[in-house]
Amino acid sequence: DGDLIQFGPQAVFRYSVADEGQEQLLRQLYEASVTDALTGANNREHFDSQLRMELSFARRHGTDLSLVMFDVDHFKRVNDTHGHPVGDEVLVEISKATRRLVRNEDVFARYGGEEFALILRGIALDGARVVGERLRERRADLAVQTDKGQLKVTVSVGCASFASTPEATAESMVQLADKRLYVAKRGGRNRVVADG
């Protein structure tokens, strides 16, 4: 118990004997470290790390990798009209609905504020567009209960892929997906942009 084993220059493992209660606590600590406290989606730090790893895997194995970024249309208006607790509830409901939609191997994260990101392993740009469209359609059907009745929100979506990003870095994929997200917003919102 407590021995360290080093594999290469960066990987060190610590052998530890833990009972069931300690193991459960360690799992909870890990989950808390990679999860956004409000929405239950992965947090930004975990997203950044996973995107770099997935990109490395795609480059090494010649596989597809796509990124879908989306955010809530007119979210400031939701907060200003209904208050921040309702805005938080909108984010929570969007996160729940999105988690039901994605595969186990996909990485779903809250990127910041009302913006979310989805890393799609083994999916090309056309497939990312389909996923983005499915996300957009499901959000349009989502209603959050408020003291003023049901609140419906829409999302705008931008997609990028490993193959469609000239520099093929994590940063350039995020920039391209984010650029396309804002093209969707300028184009009238509640739409998906995967090119241009």
Side-chain angles (χ1 to χ4, degrees), residues 2-16:
D3 286 350
L4 297 177
I5 303 167
Q6 184 161 351
F7 295 94
Q10 296 181 351
V12 177
F13 292 88
R14 180 176 178 265
Y15 181 80
S16 180

Side-chain angles (χ1 to χ4, degrees), residues 79-94:
N79 279 335
D80 291 348
T81 304
H82 301 281
H84 290 278
V86 171
D88 287 351
E89 186 61 27
V90 166
L91 298 178
V92 168
E93 290 304 318
I94 283 176

Side-chain angles (χ1 to χ4, degrees), residues 55 58-59 62-67 160-166 168-169 173:
L55 195 53
R59 191 178 291 118
T63 60
D64 290 317
L65 178 69
S66 289
L67 176 61
S161 72
F162 171 60
S164 71
T165 308
T169 64
M173 277 186 76

Side-chain angles (χ1 to χ4, degrees), residues 71 75 101 109 112 135 148 156 167 188:
D71 80 1
F75 189 69
L101 191 74
L135 283 168
K148 297 176 183 170
S156 295
E167 296 86 36

Side-chain angles (χ1 to χ4, degrees), residues 139-191:
R139 292 313 78 81
D141 295 338
L142 182 69
V144 175
Q145 202 58 38
T146 73
D147 58 349
K148 297 176 183 170
Q150 285 192 337
L151 173 64
K152 290 194 166 221
V153 295
T154 60
V155 296
S156 295
V157 182
C159 306
S161 72
F162 171 60
S164 71
T165 308
E167 296 86 36
T169 64
E171 294 78 16
S172 60
M173 277 186 76
V174 168
Q175 286 175 349
L176 183 57
D178 206 42
K179 174 185 164 196
R180 290 174 175 170
L181 165 64
Y182 283 95
V183 168
K185 288 205 169 286
R186 285 192 303 272
R189 295 181 168 81
N190 192 21
R191 64 189 64 227

